[in-house]
Amino acid sequence: MNSAIRRLAVAAMILMLALMANSTYLQAFRANEINGRNDNNRVRDSQFSVNRGPILIGSTPVAQSKPSNDRFKYQRTYPSGPVYAPVTGFYSYRFGRGGIELTMNSELNGSDPSMAFRRIIDVISNRPQQGGSVTLTLNAAAQQAAYKGLGSKTGAVVAIEPKTGRILAMATTPSYDPNRLASHDSAKVDAAWKSLNEDKDRPLSNRAAQELYPPGSTFKLVTAAAALSSGKYTPETKVNSPAELVLPQTTVPLVNEDGKNCGGSNTATLTIALRYSCNTAYGSVGLALGPDALREQAAKFGFGARPLAELPSVATSQFPGDPNEPQTAQSAIGQFDVRATPLQMAMVAAGIANKGEVMKPYLVQSVKTPDLKTVSETKPESLHQAVTPQVAAQLTAMMVDVVNNGTGKPGQISGVQVAGKTGTAQTAKDRPPFAWFTAFAPADDPKIAVAVLIEKADIARDDIAGGKLAAPIAKSVMEAVLGQ
Amino acid sequence: MSIASTSVIQIIPRTRRGVELLLLVIAVGVSVAAYVNIGVTVQNEVPASTGYYAAGISLLAVIAHLALRFRAPYADPVILPCAVLLNGLGVAMIHRVDLGLTAIGRTKGVPFAPQQITWTAVGVVLFLAVIIVVRDHRRLQAFTYSLGLAGIVLLILPLVPGLGANVNGAPIWIRVAGMSFQPGEFAKVCLVIFFAGYLVVKRDVLTLAGRRFLGLDLPRARDLGPILVAWLVSLGVLVFESDLGSSLLFFGLFLFLLYVSTERAGWLIIGGLLFIGGAYFAYLSFGHVHRRVTDWLDPWAIDGGQVKLGLMGQAWGGILGRGLGQGHPEATLYANSDMIISSMAEELGLTGLIAIILIYTLIIERGLRTALGCRDIFGKLIATGLAMSFALQVFVIVGGVTGLIPLTGLATPFMALGGTSLVANWAIIALLLRISDQARRPQTPAAPVSDETIAMAVQKA
């Protein structure tokens, strides 16, 4: 009888061991997977109640958590909400996170492995978990100038420090107020979310980095770079620039914006063709170089790769895969299927400004623990040598000419030499063209490179030209940085 | 067998009541610390009710201890502290969930923790009654068939119109004078005694081997009657009361006792096959069983399902737990009853959960050790039955909550909110301690035993 009882004792022990083994598997090995589930309110509640670290510009918070007296102990606030919204993103209970709030979530809520030591100290001393702070590279004056310059227009501005790749400004309009989504009043948040998503101007979209546009004539910088790099051209090389360029295999000619030839002659130098932004001249240069040379040059400026990991869903700029000859000519002037983000066009200007070396753009300067110990500091990193310093110098001189004598005159700053390029990209007949301006200054020692895109403005169609609409905004952003 | 059994039988008789008192101090200390910890983290103050709680649980522990000291001095010293600790932690967690429910505005009027403390007091009174009234467990053998009948009546009670009440989908409750009881909890005790008494008498017949098959001695076909009856009763509980857990518990207990009394593994095989057949039948025939199984296979599919919410709580607890008062156990349905193990795992972590399972294991193995040391077959069978009822119950409910097996509604012994279960468990502990007192008592002077029992003891030794 006792042997049967012993066997039962062993059986009971096995049952209990099975319980312990199963719980070990669940709580030690599967915990992360289950905690990461979207429908896990528990984890969301608790993260929402953490004293989340601030997002800073210098020492000024653009997102911070303030104590609140409801079920979540902290309220996330965005002091100048819409200005920084495309970068900070939002932090909502129901609708998740965006921007830096999303990509730097573990650092901001303090759960990142880099803060593990601090967290253990917190557990031992029974302090609540506290998040780290993220300092951005943004320049408050430049950001304010960009947002103010865009005003009621629909568009985006990106400014980059050419030598480092630090992003100095990233603005988009229309923007939104992240405070509306971070509210603890779920009915208000629901209503805000609904109206923001139904708004046909898509205020939640970061036009500066998440949307692709035909870059228009600003892409001529890439075509010019490819031409000069090929060794077959100098800025003084004369190219064919008729009023109408009949393209091979087609009957529709490529025309210049004003329908005239370039500078009064059917041939023009690369410099003069850039000054007046001649489509026929750069179209024929593109035809002569061929699509591969153009694509290669574009890739060296960053096309074809995702440029910025610190924001979610950043778009990759593209040069078309296998264009035929008319498509190549169109592509050379930034039309057809060439697509770029304002961020990408700012990188083109920054690369030329930095003696041909494109720096990897970045937004996060440093991450610090709550007691201000630096966890990580971003170091500038080279992306590509897009053109040689000589070609960069030639391109700079051509861009200076554009601002001094050509389409870029509205971008002039008194006492500072600006280098720039305008663009007016046609899309459909029934919608206004996109106005572009990309520039850097001072031309001899660039401190800032900027790209401005205007998608839509409440003015007559004729007035939309990169020089008139976009250049003044670029000018004010550059002045904000240079005036400091 | 000889070495191990002599080691059990030749215990130098010591009462060990001092050890028990020390363990009780620890058990009470841990429970009160848990209660205070919860108050401090949730309400930022030592709760005003701490005195009431500490005094209550200390008083009950001391009363139970004194009862043993004077009425069952040789009783096992570990079982009572384990029970007190589980009960104390259970009340603390129920209090925790009370606070959690209040915080999210889902409170249902009165808090549950004070009710549970009241029921603990009732449980300790029953504990006293059993220790004092049942001076010798062998006297219970005289009530074998009465208790068997009582067990069946208790099982059927919830089906009586006007008396039965359907709580959370299973009609296993009765409502008397505005209070709900789960008679099945007491049926369990009655039936264990009935099985033991019945098997003491019939075991010789049941031991007779029938056909030998695949190296197993199968019992004679004409002896299959009792197991078939037990099986049918279990199925009846399942069919009419939708109570998968109790059904499994009753049948399992009968099977274990049959095996222990006959030492024929053939019974386990037959019983196992009957169980599998019954379970499959239930899976096919009953929507609620089917639902439990699908919920087990894919707990994530059901939005807001209690298994899913529980698993999330446990995962959130991780290895070390969120800390008492710092999780969200109230986010799980039935966080203070069916799912209390999940609440514990969330706030105390894997570490705490394993400690709790080990405490249950201690009770179970101490109970089985009592069975080993017990000198009469009736006592052996009761102790085995009671200990294994704990084992089955813990396995079924903890396994269900942690996703090892489909969730079935059994109370987590001593912890889950629910008066009947708590009181019945205190009675079970009292009975186990009564038997262990006899098992560990010095053999001389021997208590007068019937000739029949001595004959059986000699025969088996």
Side-chain angles (χ1 to χ4, degrees):
Chain A
M1 205 161 199
N2 276 1
S3 65
I5 296 175
R6 281 204 181 81
R7 283 193 204 107
L8 282 188
V10 172
M13 189 64 93
I14 290 172
L15 290 183
M16 296 302 121
L17 284 174
L19 291 179
M20 292 186 242
N22 178 60
S23 281
T24 304
Y25 173 59
L26 177 72
Q27 292 188 263
F29 296 99
R30 277 185 64 201
N32 276 342
E33 168 212 328
I34 296 173
N35 287 341
R37 289 181 62 89
N38 284 334
D39 52 355
N40 199 329
N41 294 354
R42 234 185 212 96
V43 177
R44 194 169 58 176
D45 273 24
S46 107
Q47 290 199 346
F48 215 69
S49 309
V50 163
N51 186 3
R52 200 173 167 83
I55 301 176
L56 301 167
I57 292 180
S59 56
T60 312
V62 290
Q64 61 184 328
S65 289
K66 287 185 169 165
S68 75
N69 290 325
D70 48 22
R71 62 185 269 228
F72 309 112
K73 296 179 193 108
Y74 296 94
Q75 169 70 59
R76 196 72 169 159
T77 57
Y78 303 86
S80 31
V83 181
Y84 295 97
V87 177
T88 60
F90 58 90
Y91 186 48
S92 156
Y93 179 73
R94 290 277 306 276
F95 304 105
R97 296 169 281 259
I100 293 287
E101 294 276 32
L102 173 65
T103 53
M104 303 298 284
N105 183 45
S106 61
E107 287 85 352
L108 288 168
N109 75 23
S111 67
D112 195 69
S114 63
M115 296 179 193
F117 179 70
R118 157 85 195 192
R119 209 161 55 245
I120 292 168
I121 302 287
D122 283 350
V123 168
I124 293 170
S125 56
N126 204 22
R127 267 185 306 191
Q129 183 177 334
Q130 209 183 336
S133 64
V134 170
T135 306
L136 301 177
T137 58
L138 293 184
N139 178 309
Q143 182 77 12
Q144 295 284 357
Y147 187 73
K148 203 172 147 216
L150 287 168
S152 61
K153 300 182 258 310
T154 300
V157 174
V158 176
I160 296 178
E161 186 176 73
K163 286 192 179 68
T164 56
R166 294 172 58 197
I167 294 177
L168 300 174
M170 181 177 272
T172 183
T173 49
S175 190
Y176 65 98
D177 186 355
N179 289 309
R180 291 173 70 199
L181 297 177
S183 164
H184 293 177
D185 182 334
S186 60
K188 277 188 189 158
V189 175
D190 284 0
W193 182 255
K194 192 160 175 279
S195 77
L196 287 173
N197 275 288
E198 283 173 357
D199 191 329
K200 60 183 189 332
D201 286 330
R202 291 171 292 118
L204 287 173
S205 176
N206 177 2
R207 290 174 156 78
Q210 293 175 343
E211 302 221 357
L212 292 167
Y213 300 90
S217 301
T218 54
F219 192 77
K220 285 172 185 158
L221 291 175
V222 177
T223 306
L228 296 172
S229 298
S230 72
K232 295 172 198 152
Y233 296 84
T234 69
E236 304 313 318
T237 305
K238 288 204 164 190
V239 297
N240 209 11
S241 63
E244 290 192 354
L245 179 66
V246 179
L247 298 171
Q249 307 160 22
T250 169
T251 54
V252 183
L254 189 65
V255 297
N256 286 334
E257 190 75 350
D258 53 6
K260 296 175 187 150
N261 61 15
C262 214
S265 158
N266 278 347
T267 57
T269 64
L270 286 184
T271 302
I272 287 174
L274 197 71
R275 179 191 299 166
Y276 300 116
S277 198
C278 302
N279 291 341
T280 54
Y282 277 91
S284 58
V285 169
L287 269 177
L289 292 169
D292 293 340
L294 292 175
R295 189 181 311 105
E296 222 166 276
Q297 185 61 63
K300 284 183 181 171
F301 279 112
F303 281 72
R306 191 168 186 256
L308 185 67
E310 292 153 326
L311 286 180
S313 31
V314 169
T316 300
S317 304
Q318 296 145 7
F319 187 86
D322 189 21
N324 61 23
E325 287 196 308
Q327 288 166 346
T328 303
Q330 293 279 359
S331 299
I333 60 166
Q335 297 285 158
F336 183 53
D337 279 349
V338 181
R339 293 290 179 273
T341 57
L343 171 63
Q344 177 59 62
M345 294 322 292
M347 285 165 69
V348 170
I352 295 169
N354 190 36
K355 301 187 171 68
E357 186 180 17
V358 182
M359 302 302 287
K360 186 179 170 189
Y362 62 97
L363 263 173
V364 173
Q365 185 61 51
S366 62
V367 178
K368 293 192 178 75
T369 61
D371 40 4
L372 298 177
K373 288 203 183 72
T374 302
V375 174
S376 67
E377 178 94 38
T378 314
K379 297 267 180 309
E381 213 178 299
S382 173
L383 209 55
H384 296 290
Q385 187 71 38
V387 290
T388 62
Q390 291 77 9
V391 170
Q394 291 170 336
L395 286 168
T396 303
M398 290 162 72
M399 289 169 75
V400 166
D401 178 65
V402 169
V403 173
N404 286 352
N405 310 312
T407 54
K409 280 178 187 165
Q412 290 173 358
I413 301 175
S414 74
V416 177
Q417 188 54 261
V418 177
K421 180 71 193 87
T422 56
T424 306
Q426 311 287 346
T427 48
K429 284 237 156 47
D430 54 339
R431 77 172 307 295
F434 300 120
W436 284 89
F437 188 69
T438 180
F440 58 87
D444 54 348
D445 179 23
K447 297 276 191 296
I448 175 171
V450 61
V452 176
L453 160 82
I454 304 299
E455 183 181 322
K456 203 168 77 182
D458 291 329
I459 55 167
R461 185 184 170 98
D462 289 351
D463 286 341
I464 296 185
K468 286 182 197 156
L469 258 183
I473 301 174
K475 175 184 166 181
S476 67
V477 173
M478 290 189 285
E479 280 175 336
V481 170
L482 298 176
Q484 284 173 344
Chain B
M1 175 168 174
S2 59
I3 297 169
S5 62
T6 45
S7 75
V8 170
I9 288 168
Q10 292 182 346
I11 287 174
I12 303 161
R14 285 193 196 135
T15 63
R16 298 281 189 196
R17 295 273 69 81
V19 172
E20 182 181 75
L21 189 59
L22 182 66
L23 291 176
L24 276 174
V25 169
I26 296 172
V28 169
V30 169
S31 304
V32 173
Y35 195 83
V36 171
N37 185 347
I38 288 165
V40 169
T41 35
V42 178
Q43 300 164 310
N44 283 321
E45 59 180 16
V46 177
S49 52
T50 304
Y52 166 70
Y53 175 76
I57 190 169
S58 310
L59 188 68
L60 294 174
V62 166
I63 289 173
H65 171 73
L66 290 178
L68 291 183
R69 197 173 270 272
F70 291 110
R71 291 296 182 174
Y74 287 94
D76 187 290
V78 177
I79 294 179
L80 178 64
C82 285
V84 168
L85 179 53
L86 291 171
N87 197 336
L89 280 181
V91 173
M93 182 51 74
I94 290 167
H95 171 62
R96 161 75 188 102
V97 175
D98 280 342
L99 295 178
L101 289 173
T102 308
I104 59 171
R106 280 224 320 260
T107 175
K108 290 168 191 152
V110 282
F112 292 111
Q115 296 176 28
Q116 187 79 346
I117 294 176
T118 309
W119 282 114
T120 307
V122 175
V124 172
V125 168
L126 192 63
F127 177 92
L128 285 183
V130 171
I131 294 289
I132 291 169
V133 173
V134 184
R135 303 291 288 272
D136 185 338
H137 64 268
R138 284 164 296 189
R139 299 222 180 124
L140 293 172
Q141 203 171 345
F143 303 103
T144 298
Y145 287 93
S146 327
L147 286 170
L149 185 65
I152 298 289
V153 168
L154 285 170
L155 273 186
I156 294 173
L157 267 187
L159 299 175
V160 175
L163 201 58
N166 190 330
V167 180
N168 303 334
I172 54 173
W173 298 75
I174 58 167
R175 209 177 283 280
V176 179
M179 290 195 290
S180 303
F181 300 95
Q182 250 181 308
E185 291 285 345
F186 282 101
K188 186 170 64 186
V189 189
C190 295
L191 288 175
V192 164
I193 300 173
F194 164 68
F195 293 157
Y198 170 80
L199 289 170
V200 164
V201 180
K202 299 285 185 192
R203 60 190 285 263
D204 289 337
V205 183
L206 296 171
T207 310
L208 289 177
R211 195 164 296 156
R212 210 175 150 75
F213 181 71
L214 291 177
L216 282 168
D217 291 319
L218 296 181
R220 298 183 304 178
R222 74 180 80 150
D223 298 328
L224 286 176
I227 195 172
L228 286 177
V229 169
W231 184 63
L232 287 173
V233 169
S234 301
L235 272 186
V237 170
L238 180 64
V239 173
F240 296 111
E241 302 183 3
S242 307
D243 191 0
L244 194 59
S246 302
S247 166
L248 170 78
L249 185 61
F250 297 138
F251 187 63
L253 280 180
F254 181 74
L255 204 57
F256 288 144
L257 293 188
L258 194 57
Y259 168 64
V260 169
S261 60
T262 62
E263 293 197 292
R264 292 242 171 272
W267 286 116
L268 287 181
I269 306 289
I270 291 172
L273 290 175
L274 283 171
F275 170 73
I276 291 169
Y280 188 63
F281 162 74
Y283 172 71
L284 293 182
S285 316
F286 304 117
H288 66 276
V289 179
H290 192 91
R291 211 160 41 242
R292 298 284 196 186
V293 174
T294 43
D295 197 15
W296 168 60
L297 291 174
D298 184 12
W300 311 112
I302 300 175
D303 198 29
Q306 59 174 323
V307 176
K308 169 175 163 175
L309 294 173
L311 291 178
M312 284 176 171
Q314 292 162 56
W316 187 225
I319 294 175
L320 292 177
R322 308 311 305 176
L324 282 171
Q326 297 179 62
H328 289 285
E330 71 279 358
T332 304
L333 298 171
Y334 310 117
N336 51 16
S337 54
D338 281 8
M339 305 297 287
I340 196 163
I341 279 294
S342 161
S343 306
M344 290 285 180
E346 178 172 355
E347 300 216 320
L348 298 176
L350 176 63
T351 323
L353 178 62
I354 286 186
I356 288 168
I357 295 174
L358 285 176
I359 294 169
Y360 280 120
T361 312
L362 266 179
I363 295 181
I364 295 161
E365 300 295 334
R366 279 277 164 172
L368 290 171
R369 193 183 172 84
T370 297
L372 284 177
C374 184
R375 294 173 198 123
D376 66 284
I377 294 171
F378 181 62
K380 268 185 193 305
L381 288 176
I382 295 180
T384 306
L386 296 179
M388 286 311 285
S389 82
F390 261 94
L392 274 179
Q393 208 164 333
V394 170
F395 179 75
V396 166
I397 184 65
V398 178
V401 169
T402 56
L404 182 61
I405 55 172
L407 180 67
T408 53
L410 275 183
T412 316
F414 284 113
M415 284 193 160
L417 176 67
T420 329
S421 161
L422 189 58
V423 172
N425 281 320
W426 275 105
I428 289 173
I429 289 293
L431 213 48
L432 263 182
L433 287 169
R434 166 52 69 211
I435 298 169
S436 79
D437 174 52
Q438 230 130 30
R440 299 173 78 253
R441 190 179 292 172
Q443 256 173 313
T444 49
V449 284
S450 68
D451 292 344
E452 189 193 38
T453 317
I454 291 173
M456 285 167 184
V458 170
Q459 178 195 338
K460 286 312 292 179

